Amino acid sequence: MKPTLSIRILFSYAVLGLLSLLVLCTFTQYSVNEYTKHHEAQQLYRKSSQIAADYASSYINYSLTLEDFQAQMDMLGKYLEASIWIVDNQGHILFDSSNPLTGQQAADSEYATVPDFNPTDFGNRYYMTGNFYGTFTSQTLTVFSPITSGYRVRSYVLIHKPLSVITKTADDFMNIAFFTVFIVYLCVLLLLLLFSLSIYLPVHKIMGAARSYANGDFKARTNLHQDDELGFLAGTLDYMADELATLEDDQRKFISNVSHDFRSPLTSIKGYVEAMLDGTIPPEMQEKYFNIILFETERLTKLTQSLIDLNRFGHHGIMLDIADFDINRMIKTTILTFEGACTRRGLSFDLVLTGEELFVTADMSKIEQVLYNLIDNALKFSDNNSAVKIETNVKNEKVFLSVKDSGIGIPADSLKKIWNRFYKTDLSRGKDKKGTGLGLSIVKEIIQAHDENINVISTEGVGTEFIFTLPLSKKEVI
C-alpha cells in the first residue's frame, strides 16, 4: 500500500500555502487598497470641509491676508502630503499651496485654469481618482468641498494627494500581512512535523504490524509505548497477535489431542474385534471384551457429541428450555454418577448446601452438563484420598454454586486460557490424559447463554475453585 496519507497531507499543505498567497495578492490586496483609499478620502474631506468653513471663507472675505493663508495652507499641505487648491466655478485656480506664485498670479488676474472643470463630475461622492482632467501625470485622489457665502457657492476647496503615497501605506500593511502568513506557514509546518512524529509514524508502525498479521506473521510487534489512544490501539494489536499465535498453537494441540483420543479407542476396538475373529479371545471371554468395546464406543460418542455441542453453541447460540428445578437435588444426583471413580481413588464429596431445597430458574439439562464437567474436572485433578467441596449460597436473588478441589491447581499463565476452545494444559500435570480441552469451553458457553457469570480461583499445589451464578427461582423469593 502506498503512503498516500503523507502525500495528501503535504499536498494539502502546499495547496494551502498557494491559496493563501493567491488570496493575499488579489482579494486582500484589492480590499486593503480600497479601504485605505476610502479612509484617506474621508480624512481629506474633513480637512477640506474645515478649510472651506474657516480658512478659505476668511481669506475670501479679506479677514485673512494672503501671506498668512499661504503659510497655513503650506504647512497643512506638507502635513497631509497633498496639494490644496481653491478653484472658482469656472475652474480658475485661485490658490495652490504647492505653488506660491499662484497668489501673485491672482493679484495680477492671471489665473491657471483646470480645463473642462465641472463639479457635477463628482456626482454624489466627495472624491474622485485619476489625473484630474489631465492636470497631473500620475494617479491622484482628489476631494472637494464647496465654499459658500450668502447661500451661494463661491468656489471650491480641492485637496489632491498622489495615490502612490496612499498605496504605500497599504503596501506596508500588506508586507506585515505577508510576513504574518509566512510565520503562520512555518508554524503549520512545525505542526506537520509534530504530527508526523506523534501520529503518522505510530500509525505507520501499526499499519506495518497489521500487514504482517494479515500475512500470517504474528511475531511482528508495534513497539509503541504511548499513554494515549494510539498506544492503546498498538497494545490491543499486540495482544491480538499473541492470542492469534496462541490460537494456532492451541488448534494444533487440539487436532493432536482429538486424533489421539479417536485413535486410541478405535485401535482398541479394532484389536479386540480381530482377536475375537481369529480366535485369540475364546468365546467364554468375549463378553468382557464386548463391554470394553462398548465403553470405548461410548467414549467416542461422548467426544463426538462434545464437538457437535461446541460447534452449535459457537455459531447458532444455545436454545434454552428454562424451568424451575431444585439445584441441591441435581447436585446430589450428579455426584452419584462418579461413585465408582471415587471409590477406586478414595475420593469423597463435602456438600455444603443451603436448605433442603433450593430452586433456580435455568435450563435443567444444560446446568446438569455444567455440573458434570466441573465435578469431572475436579476429580481428575484431585489427589487420591481427598475431598471435593460443593457449596451453594444465596445472595441478592442469585444462587452461587462452587465446586472446589484440593488438587494440583492451574498454572497462573493458563488461568485466562482455560476457557478458550481447544486449549488444554500440560497433559503430564493431570491424572487423566484423555481430555480434549472442550469441557470448560462448553461450560462457559452455557453459563453465558443464561446471562450469568463463571469465575475460577486457583493456586498451584493447593487446588482450584469454580464459582458460577444462577437466578434464584421466584418460588424462593416469595
Side-chain angles (χ1 to χ4, degrees):
M1 183 176 62
K2 296 181 180 179
T4 55
L5 181 59
S6 60
I7 294 176
R8 289 175 183 174
I9 293 174
L10 291 176
F11 178 75
S12 300
Y13 175 72
V15 170
L16 176 63
L18 292 176
L19 287 177
S20 300
L21 290 175
L22 181 62
V23 170
L24 282 174
C25 293
T26 55
F27 175 77
T28 306
Q29 181 81 52
Y30 174 79
S31 300
V32 169
N33 284 337
E34 289 297 311
Y35 172 81
T36 305
K37 182 173 66 176
H38 182 71
H39 178 73
E40 188 67 23
Q42 287 181 323
Q43 299 294 325
L44 294 177
Y45 177 72
R46 282 196 288 268
K47 289 297 181 182
S48 67
S49 298
Q50 184 179 3
I51 293 171
D54 299 332
Y55 301 113
S57 61
S58 297
Y59 171 68
I60 292 176
N61 294 326
Y62 303 102
S63 61
L64 187 67
T65 64
L66 176 62
E67 289 75 11
D68 292 338
F69 184 74
Q70 175 68 45
Q72 291 178 357
M73 294 301 102
D74 181 59
M75 185 185 304
L76 185 59
K78 290 179 179 178
Y79 172 75
L80 296 175
E81 298 182 89
S83 298
I84 303 173
W85 292 4
I86 295 179
V87 181
D88 63 13
N89 292 326
Q90 287 73 40
H92 299 139
I93 303 175
L94 304 178
F95 176 83
D96 182 355
S97 65
S98 61
N99 186 5
L101 295 178
T102 304
Q104 183 63 38
Q105 291 172 352
D108 298 337
S109 298
E110 296 177 1
Y111 298 103
T113 304
V114 178
D116 301 323
F117 174 71
N118 187 358
T120 60
D121 290 342
F122 284 87
N124 60 354
R125 302 177 67 182
Y126 53 86
Y127 71 94
M128 68 168 57
T129 57
N131 58 11
F132 196 65
Y133 303 102
T135 305
F136 301 101
T137 57
S138 60
Q139 293 292 304
T140 304
L141 171 68
T142 300
V143 300
F144 85 108
S145 294
I147 301 174
T148 59
S149 177
Y151 303 101
R152 292 180 57 190
V153 177
R154 304 293 183 176
S155 57
Y156 299 91
V157 176
L158 302 178
I159 300 180
H160 309 286
K161 188 168 185 177
L163 281 179
S164 59
V165 177
I166 299 173
T167 56
K168 183 178 182 303
T169 303
D171 291 340
D172 292 340
F173 176 81
M174 288 304 302
N175 289 335
I176 296 174
F178 279 114
F179 181 74
T180 303
V181 170
F182 178 72
I183 295 299
V184 172
Y185 203 61
L186 288 181
C187 291
V188 173
L189 179 60
L190 180 61
L191 289 176
L192 282 177
L193 292 176
L194 293 176
F195 172 82
S196 297
L197 292 175
S198 61
I199 298 179
Y200 178 73
L201 290 181
V203 169
H204 187 68
K205 289 182 179 180
I206 292 174
M207 289 171 55
R211 191 181 303 112
S212 298
Y213 302 156
N215 293 330
D217 178 16
F218 302 116
K219 295 181 180 179
R221 292 294 179 269
T222 59
N223 294 321
L224 286 179
H225 306 286
Q226 299 178 191
D227 189 18
D228 56 14
E229 290 82 355
L230 288 176
F232 177 78
L233 176 60
T236 302
L237 284 176
D238 290 342
Y239 176 77
M240 180 191 71
D242 291 335
E243 292 299 309
L244 289 175
T246 302
L247 180 60
E248 283 193 344
D249 185 57
D250 291 343
Q251 287 176 331
R252 286 192 293 269
K253 289 181 180 179
F254 167 75
I255 293 173
S256 176
N257 291 337
V258 172
S259 299
H260 176 270
D261 285 349
F262 270 101
R263 185 170 57 250
S264 295
L266 287 174
T267 301
S268 297
I269 292 172
K270 181 175 181 292
Y272 292 139
V273 171
E274 289 178 345
M276 291 178 193
L277 290 175
D278 63 18
T280 302
I281 298 176
E284 61 273 13
M285 298 183 62
Q286 287 182 2
E287 182 178 357
K288 172 185 176 181
Y289 291 99
F290 273 130
N291 288 329
I292 294 175
I293 291 173
L294 179 61
F295 174 77
E296 296 292 354
T297 303
E298 289 175 349
R299 279 183 59 197
L300 288 174
T301 301
K302 182 179 178 181
L303 175 60
T304 302
Q305 187 60 44
S306 295
L307 291 172
I308 293 172
D309 288 345
L310 189 61
N311 183 67
R312 184 176 69 251
F313 294 167
H315 291 84
H316 305 291
I318 304 176
M319 298 297 294
L320 300 178
D321 183 13
I322 302 297
D324 295 331
F325 61 90
D326 182 4
I327 190 67
N328 287 347
R329 182 178 179 183
M330 176 182 286
I331 293 171
K332 295 173 184 177
T333 303
T334 303
I335 63 176
L336 293 177
T337 60
F338 297 97
E339 183 176 358
C342 291
T343 302
R344 288 193 301 271
R345 295 178 53 199
L347 298 172
S348 62
F349 290 100
D350 180 14
L351 301 182
V352 183
L353 307 179
T354 300
E356 290 295 326
E357 295 180 336
L358 183 58
F359 283 87
V360 296
T361 303
D363 187 312
M364 184 174 178
S365 62
K366 297 296 189 298
I367 298 303
E368 186 176 24
Q369 188 177 1
V370 169
L371 272 174
Y372 184 91
N373 283 337
L374 292 180
I375 294 173
D376 185 48
N377 270 353
L379 294 176
K380 285 180 183 178
F381 295 97
S382 291
D383 296 324
N384 292 336
N385 302 311
S386 62
V388 173
K389 183 178 180 180
I390 304 177
E391 184 177 358
T392 57
N393 285 300
V394 179
K395 186 176 181 181
N396 297 329
E397 300 185 3
K398 293 283 185 182
V399 174
F400 290 78
L401 197 151
S402 165
V403 178
K404 182 178 181 180
D405 64 63
S406 54
I408 61 176
I410 301 173
D413 58 352
S414 297
L415 277 177
K416 293 183 179 180
K417 302 176 182 179
I418 60 173
W419 308 108
N420 295 347
R421 297 181 179 186
F422 319 133
Y423 184 77
K424 190 175 181 184
T425 56
D426 186 1
L427 288 176
S428 64
R429 300 179 60 85
K431 302 292 188 293
D432 188 337
K433 299 182 181 181
K434 298 178 181 178
T436 60
L438 300 177
L440 291 179
S441 295
I442 294 175
V443 165
K444 188 172 184 179
E445 293 280 358
I446 292 174
I447 296 300
Q448 287 183 338
H450 284 79
D451 293 326
E452 299 295 333
N453 299 308
I454 183 168
N455 296 303
V456 60
I457 303 171
S458 184
T459 303
E460 287 192 81
V462 176
T464 302
E465 180 180 12
F466 287 91
I467 305 170
F468 67 91
T469 60
L470 290 174
L472 185 65
S473 171
K474 293 182 179 180
K475 294 181 181 179
E476 298 287 346
V477 175
I478 293 173

XYZ file of all heavy atoms in Angstrom, residues 260-302:
355
model
N -5.539 -38.302 18.863
C -5.120 -39.333 19.814
C -6.321 -39.983 20.481
O -6.396 -41.220 20.631
C -4.192 -38.717 20.864
C -3.777 -39.667 21.929
N -4.493 -39.841 23.103
C -2.715 -40.521 22.000
C -3.900 -40.753 23.843
N -2.801 -41.176 23.208
N -7.304 -39.128 20.887
C -8.470 -39.666 21.592
C -9.373 -40.493 20.686
O -10.065 -41.398 21.166
C -9.266 -38.514 22.204
C -8.586 -37.953 23.442
O -7.632 -38.609 23.912
O -8.974 -36.875 23.910
N -9.370 -40.188 19.403
C -10.125 -41.027 18.470
C -9.345 -42.293 18.132
O -9.923 -43.383 18.016
C -10.429 -40.244 17.185
C -11.722 -39.481 17.229
C -11.739 -38.121 17.474
C -12.926 -40.142 17.027
C -12.925 -37.429 17.527
C -14.122 -39.447 17.074
C -14.129 -38.071 17.322
N -8.040 -42.135 17.960
C -7.229 -43.273 17.524
C -7.137 -44.355 18.600
O -7.206 -45.567 18.297
C -5.828 -42.793 17.149
C -4.947 -43.911 16.574
C -3.652 -43.368 15.976
N -2.889 -42.596 16.956
C -2.719 -41.295 16.924
N -3.304 -40.594 15.941
N -2.016 -40.657 17.844
N -7.015 -43.947 19.871
C -6.841 -44.934 20.946
C -8.030 -45.887 21.064
O -7.849 -47.123 21.025
C -6.587 -44.225 22.277
O -5.370 -43.520 22.223
N -9.259 -45.389 21.192
C -10.377 -46.338 21.280
C -10.595 -47.113 19.985
O -10.962 -48.303 20.035
C -11.579 -45.442 21.600
C -11.189 -44.085 21.192
C -9.714 -43.997 21.397
N -10.349 -46.496 18.852
C -10.516 -47.213 17.589
C -9.502 -48.350 17.482
O -9.821 -49.458 16.996
C -10.361 -46.244 16.410
C -11.522 -45.267 16.192
C -11.169 -44.280 15.093
C -12.806 -46.029 15.833
N -8.290 -48.082 17.937
C -7.265 -49.133 17.920
C -7.660 -50.282 18.840
O -7.503 -51.480 18.484
C -5.902 -48.553 18.360
O -5.532 -47.495 17.470
C -4.837 -49.618 18.348
N -8.194 -49.926 20.028
C -8.628 -50.976 20.968
C -9.773 -51.781 20.373
O -9.769 -53.031 20.430
C -9.070 -50.331 22.288
O -7.996 -49.662 22.896
N -10.762 -51.091 19.825
C -11.910 -51.791 19.241
C -11.456 -52.705 18.113
O -11.865 -53.882 18.028
C -12.938 -50.766 18.726
C -13.568 -50.013 19.898
C -14.017 -51.457 17.891
C -14.447 -48.848 19.486
N -10.600 -52.171 17.216
C -10.111 -52.969 16.084
C -9.346 -54.205 16.576
O -9.523 -55.323 16.074
C -9.208 -52.102 15.215
C -8.634 -52.812 13.973
C -7.869 -51.812 13.128
C -7.306 -52.476 11.870
N -6.245 -53.443 12.170
N -8.507 -53.987 17.610
C -7.698 -55.098 18.119
C -8.545 -56.194 18.731
O -8.322 -57.400 18.468
N -9.534 -55.778 19.559
C -10.374 -56.794 20.213
C -11.253 -57.528 19.204
O -11.466 -58.751 19.304
C -11.256 -56.128 21.276
C -10.463 -55.606 22.453
C -10.770 -54.380 23.037
C -9.405 -56.353 22.990
C -10.044 -53.896 24.118
C -8.681 -55.867 24.060
C -8.991 -54.648 24.626
O -8.272 -54.185 25.693
N -11.788 -56.807 18.202
C -12.634 -57.461 17.194
C -11.806 -58.463 16.393
O -12.249 -59.595 16.120
C -13.281 -56.411 16.278
C -13.968 -57.085 15.091
C -14.299 -55.580 17.056
N -10.596 -58.080 15.982
C -9.733 -59.004 15.233
C -9.376 -60.222 16.073
O -9.318 -61.367 15.560
C -8.466 -58.275 14.788
C -8.688 -57.248 13.676
C -7.404 -56.513 13.314
O -6.436 -56.590 14.107
O -7.378 -55.835 12.252
N -9.129 -59.985 17.384
C -8.782 -61.101 18.258
C -9.941 -62.076 18.388
O -9.745 -63.306 18.461
C -8.368 -60.573 19.627
N -11.172 -61.536 18.433
C -12.346 -62.410 18.511
C -12.540 -63.191 17.214
O -12.892 -64.376 17.213
C -13.606 -61.579 18.800
C -13.649 -60.978 20.196
S -15.141 -59.980 20.414
C -14.726 -59.106 21.934
N -12.272 -62.507 16.076
C -12.493 -63.172 14.791
C -11.481 -64.283 14.533
O -11.828 -65.327 13.952
C -12.436 -62.138 13.658
C -13.605 -61.145 13.604
C -13.361 -60.108 12.507
C -14.913 -61.894 13.346
N -10.225 -64.054 14.951
C -9.220 -65.091 14.676
C -9.093 -66.100 15.799
O -8.227 -66.978 15.764
C -7.861 -64.455 14.378
C -7.296 -63.665 15.556
O -7.749 -63.873 16.698
O -6.394 -62.820 15.326
N -9.948 -66.000 16.837
C -9.975 -66.992 17.893
C -8.985 -66.738 19.015
O -8.888 -67.585 19.924
N -8.252 -65.648 18.966
C -7.306 -65.370 20.049
C -8.044 -65.221 21.370
O -7.568 -65.644 22.428
C -6.508 -64.098 19.741
O -5.827 -64.254 18.490
C -5.486 -63.816 20.832
N -9.209 -64.573 21.323
C -10.053 -64.436 22.513
C -11.131 -65.518 22.412
O -11.952 -65.513 21.491
C -10.683 -63.050 22.592
C -9.600 -61.965 22.714
C -11.648 -62.960 23.775
C -10.145 -60.557 22.711
N -11.141 -66.469 23.350
C -12.119 -67.568 23.285
C -13.531 -67.032 23.544
O -13.708 -65.970 24.166
C -11.665 -68.507 24.406
C -10.865 -67.652 25.335
C -10.217 -66.619 24.484
N -14.554 -67.763 23.087
C -15.943 -67.309 23.238
C -16.334 -67.025 24.675
O -17.099 -66.090 24.941
C -16.757 -68.449 22.651
C -15.829 -69.086 21.653
C -14.464 -69.001 22.265
N -15.824 -67.815 25.641
C -16.238 -67.617 27.020
C -15.728 -66.290 27.615
O -16.224 -65.823 28.634
C -15.780 -68.782 27.897
C -14.280 -68.991 27.963
C -13.754 -69.870 26.837
O -14.508 -70.128 25.862
O -12.582 -70.281 26.925
N -14.724 -65.656 26.959
C -14.182 -64.380 27.459
C -14.645 -63.179 26.629
O -14.289 -62.024 26.927
C -12.647 -64.425 27.460
C -12.052 -65.496 28.378
S -10.245 -65.431 28.382
C -9.953 -63.791 29.040
N -15.437 -63.437 25.604
C -15.806 -62.345 24.696
C -16.715 -61.296 25.346
O -16.657 -60.105 24.996
C -16.499 -62.929 23.457
C -15.534 -63.649 22.526
C -16.210 -64.178 21.276
O -17.406 -63.985 21.065
N -15.430 -64.876 20.442
N -17.527 -61.746 26.326
C -18.421 -60.790 26.970
C -17.634 -59.657 27.629
O -18.020 -58.474 27.562
C -19.288 -61.504 28.013
C -20.284 -60.543 28.671
C -21.182 -61.281 29.676
O -21.059 -62.511 29.795
O -21.978 -60.584 30.317
N -16.531 -60.009 28.264
C -15.696 -58.997 28.921
C -15.195 -57.971 27.908
O -15.255 -56.757 28.144
C -14.528 -59.683 29.609
C -13.500 -58.716 30.154
C -12.294 -59.458 30.730
C -11.212 -58.476 31.180
N -10.024 -59.181 31.716
N -14.734 -58.470 26.761
C -14.168 -57.560 25.776
C -15.254 -56.815 24.982
O -15.016 -55.718 24.476
C -13.231 -58.331 24.844
C -11.997 -58.783 25.582
C -11.885 -60.078 26.071
C -10.947 -57.889 25.818
C -10.764 -60.484 26.768
C -9.823 -58.283 26.516
C -9.730 -59.578 26.998
O -8.621 -59.974 27.699
N -16.460 -57.429 24.909
C -17.577 -56.679 24.343
C -17.898 -55.442 25.203
O -18.213 -54.375 24.697
C -18.813 -57.577 24.221
C -18.856 -58.353 22.935
C -19.074 -59.740 22.947
C -18.692 -57.711 21.710
C -19.103 -60.447 21.768
C -18.740 -58.427 20.531
C -18.926 -59.802 20.558
N -17.824 -55.633 26.532
C -18.053 -54.494 27.427
C -16.984 -53.415 27.251
O -17.284 -52.219 27.318
C -18.073 -54.986 28.883
C -19.336 -55.769 29.205
O -20.392 -55.501 28.638
N -19.227 -56.744 30.104
N -15.752 -53.864 27.021
C -14.678 -52.885 26.787
C -14.939 -52.134 25.480
O -14.783 -50.893 25.404
C -13.313 -53.583 26.743
C -12.979 -54.175 28.107
C -12.220 -52.607 26.298
C -11.686 -54.984 28.125
N -15.338 -52.888 24.440
C -15.654 -52.242 23.158
C -16.803 -51.255 23.332
O -16.782 -50.129 22.789
C -16.004 -53.313 22.104
C -14.749 -54.135 21.738
C -16.605 -52.661 20.852
C -15.049 -55.319 20.843
N -17.835 -51.625 24.118
C -18.963 -50.740 24.361
C -18.506 -49.465 25.088
O -18.934 -48.354 24.757
C -20.030 -51.464 25.195
C -21.286 -50.645 25.547
C -22.019 -50.220 24.279
C -22.210 -51.478 26.445
N -17.618 -49.639 26.068
C -17.096 -48.488 26.799
C -16.332 -47.539 25.875
O -16.514 -46.312 25.930
C -16.181 -48.977 27.932
C -15.487 -47.862 28.656
C -16.163 -47.084 29.590
C -14.150 -47.581 28.399
C -15.524 -46.063 30.251
C -13.505 -46.549 29.056
C -14.197 -45.779 29.989
N -15.490 -48.109 25.008
C -14.727 -47.270 24.077
C -15.648 -46.571 23.072
O -15.417 -45.420 22.681
C -13.690 -48.123 23.341
C -12.612 -48.745 24.224
C -11.677 -47.697 24.798
O -11.792 -46.499 24.432
O -10.817 -48.047 25.616
N -16.706 -47.290 22.678
C -17.666 -46.689 21.750
C -18.377 -45.506 22.409
O -18.610 -44.457 21.775
C -18.702 -47.736 21.309
O -18.026 -48.845 20.717
C -19.670 -47.141 20.294
N -18.716 -45.666 23.689
C -19.356 -44.568 24.414
C -18.409 -43.373 24.535
O -18.843 -42.215 24.482
C -19.800 -45.051 25.789
C -20.992 -46.010 25.737
C -21.343 -46.568 27.098
O -20.529 -46.377 28.042
O -22.403 -47.191 27.232
N -17.134 -43.656 24.712
C -16.153 -42.569 24.758
C -16.127 -41.790 23.439
O -16.108 -40.548 23.424
C -14.746 -43.127 25.033
C -14.438 -43.423 26.479
C -13.008 -43.885 26.627
N -12.078 -42.859 26.141
C -10.809 -43.096 25.836
N -10.317 -44.323 25.943
N -10.038 -42.118 25.417
N -16.134 -42.522 22.340
C -16.149 -41.867 21.035
C -17.429 -41.055 20.834
O -17.402 -39.944 20.301
C -16.020 -42.914 19.922
C -14.641 -43.582 19.768
C -14.707 -44.694 18.729
C -13.600 -42.550 19.356
N -18.571 -41.637 21.277
C -19.844 -40.928 21.148
C -19.839 -39.641 21.968
O -20.290 -38.576 21.509
C -20.992 -41.836 21.611
O -21.002 -43.031 20.822
C -22.330 -41.129 21.484
N -19.303 -39.736 23.185
C -19.246 -38.560 24.058
C -18.348 -37.474 23.462
O -18.684 -36.285 23.475
C -18.724 -38.981 25.435
C -18.673 -37.840 26.433
C -18.166 -38.348 27.776
C -18.063 -37.179 28.766
N -17.533 -37.647 30.084
